[in-house]
Amino acid sequence: MLSFCGQDKCKLDKNGRIKFSPRIISDFKDACSGNVVLHCLPEGAVAVYPEDVYLQMRRQESRIAEQAASSALFRRNMRRFGAFSQSEVISSQGRITIPAAYRDHGQLSTDSDVVIIGVEIGIEIWNLERWQQEVLKIDEYNSLKSEQEIALDLRN
Amino acid sequence: MLSFCGQDKCKLDKNGRIKFSPRIISDFKDACSGNVVLHCLPEGAVAVYPEDVYLQMRRQESRIAEQAASSALFRRNMRRFGAFSQSEVISSQGRITIPAAYRDHGQLSTDSDVVIIGVEIGIEIWNLERWQQEVLKIDEYNSLKSEQEIALDLRN
DNA sequence: GTCGAAAATGGTTTATAATGGTATATTATG
DNA sequence: CATAATATACCATTATAAACCATTTTCGAC
């Protein structure tokens, strides 16, 4: 059985909380007992990863402090991950609260439709319209790839 | 006896479920006890594979989390396979439910005619008109290939 | 420090959708 | 033409999302 797959459409409630589908809830229960990390992605969605997945993502080289002292770029990167990542626990009713700043980042307004996307290592929460745009981009990329492949085959 | 071959025409019911023919049901029972993965294909159909077939297709390189942290392209790829793949179990009556998003992808509307195509490692569910288009493309490609082969042979 | 307002949290209810099962119509087969 | 097999429509039941409500907590004003 695949984990963290598929799509669900659901709503943020009036208080900015989201209720996961039973499938997602059990995936997170298995993976991390509900201890997750919210993380704002550059793509404009909010990702939810099991805590240890996030720690793997952020596994750092040594001498962090020294690098922080000498590199502005490094400091900016740490700032980005620091500011835009936050621990949460999935409640007994399968809900989490999305902090206001994170809702803004993902254009996930209170009482609006959002889409939950499985990404194999966790999930992403997308604004509906943004997700549709992203699907268009994925489709476009795929059809270009296909055409290219077939054209190449016929040339041989 | 060949598995996952041939074509069936059938209907989605009002709830977006499909009932497989006895032949297909027994193929899936033999291959995976009914544990399948639905996967949306770029060609605009919905494939159904035995779970281990899908896992083979999707075998991953290592250090997934770290790549996800640093590469937008990698994240998009995970998103593509995550969003468009989902586990299902064939019910005791030989039915599976196609999730709404997947129905949209394959233009498989509720209460409409669809075509089940055996693809040797699994099956594909096609919208009737799209399948007819695909057959035309297959024919076109094949005649191009044949001409090419003969032309090449004569040149030598 | 105390009170009040506002927000956050936890839980419950209800409308809706998904599911499992059965009956019936249709098609295939001898 | 009769019978069996199968697809599909229908219905009952269950599960779930989302709205609603109550309680608790936080924060600010007095």
Side-chain angles (χ1 to χ4, degrees):
Chain A
M1 193 130 225
L2 305 179
S3 314
F4 299 120
C5 281
Q7 311 178 24
D8 296 307
K9 219 176 92 183
C10 65
K11 275 190 143 181
L12 283 188
D13 73 8
K14 295 218 161 139
N15 304 319
R17 294 179 298 184
I18 203 165
K19 167 146 183 168
F20 292 130
S21 67
R23 209 160 34 86
I24 299 290
I25 294 170
S26 86
D27 285 345
F28 277 121
K29 187 157 279 176
D30 294 347
C32 57
S33 318
N35 293 91
V36 300
V37 175
L38 300 193
H39 174 67
C40 298
L41 295 172
E43 292 90 320
V46 177
V48 186
Y49 301 118
E51 189 165 84
D52 57 328
V53 168
Y54 181 79
L55 290 175
Q56 262 180 275
M57 290 172 67
R58 287 306 289 156
R59 197 163 62 199
Q60 295 278 354
E61 53 274 52
S62 49
R63 302 184 305 133
I64 300 170
E66 283 172 58
Q67 289 192 65
S70 60
S71 162
L73 203 65
F74 188 83
R75 284 196 299 275
R76 174 166 288 168
N77 205 38
M78 297 196 65
R79 202 172 291 139
R80 177 168 103 67
F81 278 95
F84 295 119
S85 304
Q86 184 170 318
S87 289
E88 291 273 346
V89 179
I90 296 175
S91 80
S92 58
Q93 294 138 85
R95 292 190 294 207
I96 56 167
T97 301
I98 318 281
Y102 289 36
R103 289 203 303 264
D104 292 346
H105 173 88
Q107 281 192 357
L108 311 169
S109 53
T110 285
D111 227 12
S112 74
D113 286 319
V114 302
V115 187
I116 308 285
I117 302 298
V119 292
E120 300 188 332
I121 57 172
I123 61 150
E124 292 172 2
I125 305 170
W126 285 77
N127 167 288
L128 182 59
E129 287 79 31
R130 278 194 182 170
W131 171 245
Q132 288 163 346
Q133 289 298 311
E134 176 71 11
V135 170
L136 287 181
K137 284 182 192 162
I138 291 172
D139 287 346
E140 193 184 340
Y141 175 83
N142 282 333
S143 42
L144 283 173
K145 268 282 184 197
S146 305
E147 280 170 31
Q148 212 172 51
E149 187 193 354
I150 290 167
L152 257 170
D153 179 79
L154 287 173
R155 198 174 307 154
N156 293 333
Chain B
M1 188 127 223
L2 301 181
S3 311
F4 300 121
C5 281
Q7 310 179 20
D8 296 309
K9 219 177 92 184
C10 65
K11 272 191 144 180
L12 284 188
D13 74 8
K14 293 216 163 139
N15 303 320
R17 294 179 297 185
I18 203 167
K19 167 146 184 169
F20 291 130
S21 67
R23 210 160 32 87
I24 299 289
I25 294 171
S26 86
D27 286 346
F28 277 120
K29 188 157 279 175
D30 294 347
C32 57
S33 319
N35 293 91
V36 300
V37 174
L38 300 192
H39 175 67
C40 298
L41 296 172
E43 292 89 323
V46 178
V48 186
Y49 303 118
E51 186 166 272
D52 57 327
V53 168
Y54 177 80
L55 290 175
Q56 264 180 274
M57 291 171 61
R58 195 57 198 135
R59 61 168 183 273
Q60 290 275 0
E61 54 271 54
S62 51
R63 289 153 53 102
I64 299 169
E66 282 170 71
Q67 290 191 66
S70 58
S71 162
L73 197 68
F74 189 85
R75 281 197 297 275
R76 177 169 283 172
N77 206 39
M78 305 269 291
R79 202 172 286 141
R80 175 166 113 66
F81 281 97
F84 295 117
S85 305
Q86 186 169 315
S87 292
E88 292 274 346
V89 179
I90 296 175
S91 79
S92 58
Q93 296 137 87
R95 291 190 296 207
I96 56 167
T97 301
I98 318 282
Y102 290 30
R103 291 202 303 264
D104 293 345
H105 173 88
Q107 282 192 357
L108 311 170
S109 53
T110 285
D111 228 11
S112 74
D113 286 319
V114 301
V115 187
I116 308 285
I117 304 297
V119 292
E120 301 188 328
I121 57 170
I123 62 154
E124 291 173 3
I125 306 169
W126 284 79
N127 167 288
L128 183 58
E129 287 79 31
R130 277 195 183 169
W131 171 244
Q132 290 162 349
Q133 289 298 311
E134 177 68 13
V135 171
L136 290 180
K137 284 184 191 161
I138 291 172
D139 290 346
E140 189 186 343
Y141 173 84
N142 281 335
S143 39
L144 277 173
K145 261 293 184 192
S146 302
E147 281 169 30
Q148 210 173 51
E149 188 192 354
I150 291 166
L152 259 169
D153 179 78
L154 286 173
R155 198 176 307 154
N156 292 336

